[in-house]
Amino acid sequence: MDNTTRAIHSPAVYLDDSHAESIAMTSAYDFHSAADAHARFSGEKPGNVYSRFTNPSVEMFENKLAALEGGDAAIGLASGMSAYLAIAMTFLRQGDHVLLASGIFGTTTHLFRQYFGQFGITATSVQVDDYDAWQAEMRPNTKLMVVESPTNPLMGVADLVKLSTLAKRHDAILVVDNTLLTPVLQQPLQWGADLVLHSAGKFLDGQGRCVGGAIVGRHDLLKPLRAYLRASGICMSPFNAWILSKGIETLKARMNLHEHNARQVFSWLRQQSDIEQVYSTMAADHPNRDVIQRQQTGHSPIITFKLRGDRDHAWRFIDALKLVSRCTNIGDAKTMVTHPATTTHGRYTAEEKQRHGITENLVRLCVGFESPADIIDDLNQALVAAQQPVETAVLVC
């Protein structure tokens, strides 16, 4: 046998005794026979078929997340937005209507309004905690209710029991984005959600290393979603699944540290005269305090605040930061800051931004693992710098 042939067909090395699970970096799988291939492809026999929709590393991530959320199963996808895409493509038809919580991530709203609007699907935004408005906007063709709780970035909270009751009454599917709290701090399925969605590259990863998405729920809803995944190919890569799977193992410890640090930063921000308002579910005067205490077991490290001033003032503050990273991600070990009106929610119209509270002086902070004292020192010097008048150049002729 030729050396090249022998090299290609050298025996595989299996790591059954490896303490850390290995990464299933393969696109396809070998079958024992033609009949075995047929049985697996047809679903008559369990087993891997093709990594577009079956992969051991992805399955490991799915199993861990489903266990944390208390769901029957989970599906890993390429990104959080691909998870929304899968839900819409699976459960919506031409002429259907969707209710969206107001002020949620701008691209989510854009996906439903712009892209699905091209195919005769309509979407209406509703204040997250205005249950009379949710009821008033329900239509006979309303098929989906999509909510972030808390909302990003203004930390509005939905009573999931009330929304679930409404959804069931109208035969609609309630989708809850649990990215900001993770199953460590909230389990939406417990409160009546039909599907739970994650942008997995946030807190589930925890270090900003990859992109991924996930959906958790009942078998009867996940079965058609998995069929769509098989046809569409919006799959999670095995490497990303491995990263996320390992991230889940430290999730509880990380969320506790996030909250510990965020509480100190939150308390300091509330005392600053240069800040008009601070948004966090940690606030004792949060309008949905009773729901938070019942529904959540902890708080997201997202803290959003309004500076006294306009966009220029907010931008000067952001630009003056030396330790805090200017980054639109969340859930990292590093503390990050962004300007929602011109980044995450930049696709909203001026009227929508005003209606949803996405003002030009709004700043979003995600508190990381640095010493809270160091984070506060950086925020403090940036507040001082932002108050300094902008120097104007003098032209000398």
Side-chain angles (χ1 to χ4, degrees):
M1 190 178 292
D2 181 80
N3 286 350
T4 300
T5 304
R6 286 195 291 116
I8 292 172
H9 289 272
S10 60
V13 177
Y14 294 99
L15 301 174
D16 294 338
D17 59 349
S18 175
H19 180 67
E21 55 265 26
S22 56
I23 309 173
M25 291 298 293
T26 183
S27 59
Y29 306 90
D30 291 330
F31 303 104
H32 301 303
S33 65
D36 179 42
H38 167 70
R40 287 201 231 173
F41 264 85
S42 64
E44 297 173 7
K45 177 182 176 181
N48 291 310
V49 178
Y50 192 68
S51 270
R52 186 176 71 249
F53 56 100
T54 61
N55 179 275
S57 293
V58 177
E59 186 178 355
M60 178 70 72
F61 163 69
E62 293 170 343
N63 291 343
K64 289 180 180 180
L65 183 58
L68 278 179
E69 285 285 9
D72 290 345
I75 298 176
L77 301 112
S79 68
M81 290 311 305
S82 69
Y84 277 117
L85 176 65
I87 290 171
M89 292 294 289
T90 301
F91 298 112
L92 295 179
R93 300 292 182 270
Q94 187 176 29
D96 285 346
H97 175 245
V98 180
L99 284 179
L100 307 171
S102 62
I104 61 176
F105 181 45
T107 302
T108 304
T109 300
H110 190 69
L111 175 68
F112 282 97
R113 286 187 179 174
Q114 175 66 27
Y115 292 102
F116 288 108
Q118 296 176 129
F119 304 103
I121 293 169
T122 55
T124 305
S125 293
V126 182
Q127 180 65 33
V128 67
D129 57 356
D130 187 344
Y131 306 105
D132 290 336
W134 283 95
Q135 175 64 66
E137 294 293 346
M138 291 294 296
R139 305 173 189 174
N141 61 333
T142 302
K143 301 301 180 184
L144 281 182
M145 297 166 61
V146 178
V147 61
E148 295 172 355
S149 188
T151 58
N152 176 11
L154 292 178
M155 309 309 288
V157 173
D159 188 325
L160 299 182
V161 172
K162 288 184 178 180
L163 290 184
S164 172
T165 301
L166 181 63
K168 288 175 172 58
R169 189 185 306 147
H170 292 270
D171 197 27
I173 295 173
L174 175 61
V175 179
V176 178
D177 191 322
N178 200 29
T179 299
L180 267 64
L181 286 177
T182 82
V184 170
L185 304 179
Q186 177 177 262
Q187 295 179 326
L189 296 174
Q190 174 186 344
W191 304 105
D194 296 301
L195 295 171
V196 175
L197 184 145
H198 285 275
S199 178
K202 308 299 193 295
F203 292 102
L204 296 187
D205 169 23
Q207 296 184 56
R209 297 168 294 186
C210 68
V211 173
I215 305 169
V216 189
R218 304 191 310 269
H219 284 307
D220 63 310
L221 292 177
L222 292 182
K223 185 177 180 180
L225 282 165
R226 194 168 289 281
Y228 174 73
L229 168 64
R230 179 172 182 168
S232 65
I234 51 173
C235 52
M236 176 178 286
S237 80
F239 184 75
N240 287 2
W242 181 81
I243 288 176
L244 295 167
S245 181
K246 302 308 290 183
I248 282 178
E249 294 178 0
T250 63
L251 181 60
K252 185 174 183 178
R254 290 188 287 104
M255 294 308 293
N256 289 339
L257 181 55
H258 273 302
E259 182 175 348
H260 173 269
N261 289 356
R263 282 189 177 278
Q264 297 180 58
V265 174
F266 170 75
S267 297
W268 181 83
L269 287 168
R270 293 267 290 205
Q271 299 170 16
Q272 304 312 303
S273 59
D274 292 336
I275 295 176
E276 288 183 1
Q277 191 169 357
V278 183
Y279 300 88
S280 169
T281 59
M282 290 180 278
D285 57 352
H286 193 289
N288 306 118
R289 185 65 178 173
D290 58 332
V291 178
I292 293 169
Q293 290 178 326
R294 179 179 71 251
Q295 198 166 272
Q296 300 178 196
T297 58
H299 303 277
S300 172
I302 303 296
I303 304 172
T304 308
F305 50 94
K306 289 182 178 178
L307 294 162
R308 297 193 186 280
D310 53 16
R311 178 198 285 189
D312 289 341
H313 188 85
W315 279 13
R316 289 203 303 273
F317 167 79
I318 291 171
D319 291 347
L321 291 164
K322 299 176 181 178
L323 175 70
V324 176
S325 302
R326 288 171 284 276
C327 183
T328 56
N329 198 24
I330 59 174
D332 200 297
K334 299 175 181 177
T335 299
M336 295 172 289
V337 69
T338 194
H339 185 249
T342 52
T343 58
T344 58
H345 292 65
R347 292 189 176 190
Y348 280 124
T349 66
E351 187 274 330
E352 286 174 325
K353 289 177 186 176
Q354 182 178 14
R355 186 168 71 246
H356 300 326
I358 311 297
T359 58
E360 294 293 338
N361 61 339
L362 192 72
V363 174
R364 188 192 72 187
L365 191 72
C366 182
V367 180
F369 299 154
E370 304 95 340
S371 163
D374 291 333
I375 298 170
I376 290 169
D377 282 347
D378 193 34
L379 297 174
N380 186 54
Q381 66 84 22
L383 281 177
V384 172
Q387 293 294 339
Q388 302 304 314
V390 179
E391 294 183 4
T392 57
V394 178
L395 297 177
V396 179
C397 297

